[in-house]
Amino acid sequence: MIQVKVKVFRFNPENGEKKPRFDEFTVEADPKEKVLDLLHRIKWEQDGTLAFRRSCAHGICGSCAMKINGANMLACEANLANFRDPTRITVEPLQSLPILKDLVVDLRDFFKKYEIVKPYLINRTQPPSQERLQSPEDRALIDEATWCILCAACTTSCPSNWKNPQFLGPAALLKSYRYCFDTRDEGISERIHVLDNNDGVWRCHTIFNCVEACPKEINITWHISQLKKKLVSREH
Ligand code: SF4
Ligand code: FES
């Protein structure tokens, strides 16, 4: 077992607090444990007012994304043994979103951008008597893009998004790829006005922070580059 010093970002604007602060907790842990285990122990044994999101604890729901030792990741997958110094951990909320309390950020803007790209199949032709079929090759085109769990780690690590909050951001663009490259979808003309402009794909300057941050190891930048090619080659 090791003693871990955990510095945790604290802020509760509802209490009239004007500035955030860091609280430090000492937690005994097994090096095989995850940062989420430490946060649970702090909340259950030391300070019940600490606020953070989590649900599945298995890298599936996307709710526990936060900044840990300076990098966005899922707390439930952040293995202590993988840090250079597992005895010192600093936990902060995702950058560039309003803070509701401590590590809980307001995700409404993130999900609004997700809705804007119409993240669903659009097909106006008469459906066949059974399902709309896809070949394995068709499916492979969108396979990686379907791994996204909407954790927001990519969009909140993107400097283009920090500079211009109107930018749709990597997560929404990846989702638009997922549908624009689905061979059953006919909805690109309904998405093009939000994709083909300065707050859409062209705001991505291939910085790759999103790829570094993505816990599902999706090459988001490559998918955005394919969207750019599709928009350029498309007859308007
Ligand atoms: S692309 Fe990756 S980092 Fe971005 S929201 Fe999806 S899972 Fe999270
Ligand atoms: S708690 Fe669900 S992804 Fe971490």
Side-chain angles (χ1 to χ4, degrees):
M1 298 294 272
I2 54 173
Q3 299 286 316
V4 185
K5 293 227 178 290
V6 191
K7 259 173 77 177
V8 186
F9 179 100
R10 306 299 302 270
F11 187 40
N12 186 357
E14 275 194 3
N15 261 3
E17 291 174 14
K18 297 278 179 267
K19 283 196 307 196
R21 65 179 196 280
F22 280 92
D23 284 351
E24 190 167 295
F25 302 89
T26 303
V27 186
E28 195 173 73
D30 185 314
K32 291 200 285 294
E33 285 185 296
K34 311 291 194 300
V35 171
L36 183 63
D37 297 315
L38 305 185
L39 293 175
H40 276 148
R41 215 162 291 144
I42 291 168
K43 186 168 178 71
W44 293 336
E45 297 168 8
Q46 299 191 44
D47 184 348
T49 67
L50 175 63
F52 55 94
R53 284 198 182 98
R54 54 96 181 94
S55 181
C56 70
H58 285 84
I60 299 299
C61 71
S63 62
C64 70
M66 54 187 75
K67 202 194 264 189
I68 303 174
N69 285 6
N72 284 0
M73 60 187 84
L74 299 177
C76 68
E77 289 190 333
N79 200 319
L80 285 180
N82 290 342
F83 290 95
R84 200 178 306 148
D85 180 0
T87 64
R88 295 202 170 268
I89 299 292
T90 301
V91 189
E92 298 166 83
L94 293 174
Q95 193 169 332
S96 78
L97 291 173
I99 293 158
L100 297 177
K101 189 181 176 200
D102 300 336
L103 304 170
V104 178
V105 291
D106 186 343
L107 285 163
R108 277 178 295 186
D109 185 63
F110 176 75
F111 281 107
K112 201 168 83 199
K113 289 172 178 171
Y114 169 64
E115 279 171 29
I116 285 174
V117 301
K118 302 195 174 184
Y120 40 81
L121 206 64
I122 299 172
N123 190 315
R124 309 273 180 227
T125 54
Q126 191 65 21
S129 55
Q130 293 179 325
E131 69 268 31
R132 298 181 198 274
L133 294 175
Q134 273 194 310
S135 69
E137 292 76 26
D138 289 345
R139 166 65 191 171
L141 280 175
I142 56 167
D143 203 39
E144 191 172 325
T146 66
W147 300 343
C148 174
I149 56 171
L150 289 171
C151 68
C154 53
T155 298
T156 56
S157 71
C158 172
S160 301
N161 187 63
W162 301 337
K163 185 128 194 319
N164 175 15
Q166 301 307 315
F167 174 38
L168 281 177
L173 291 175
L174 179 78
K175 196 56 76 171
S176 69
Y177 172 101
R178 185 254 171 270
Y179 287 98
C180 290
F181 281 77
D182 188 315
T183 49
R184 300 162 299 179
D185 187 90
E186 297 169 348
I188 190 162
S189 57
E190 295 186 33
R191 300 186 186 100
I192 199 158
H193 64 288
V194 292
L195 297 178
D196 196 6
N197 67 49
N198 277 341
D199 296 330
V201 293
W202 308 114
R203 182 65 61 179
C204 166
H205 300 310
T206 56
I207 298 166
F208 287 97
N209 273 22
C210 56
V211 180
E212 295 258 318
C214 179
K216 295 294 155 190
E217 299 183 359
I218 302 169
N219 190 339
I220 308 160
T221 310
W222 179 84
H223 288 83
I224 297 173
S225 74
Q226 298 309 298
L227 265 179
K228 287 176 178 171
K229 280 190 199 162
K230 194 175 187 86
L231 295 182
V232 168
S233 61
R234 188 173 180 272
E235 286 177 22
H236 289 78

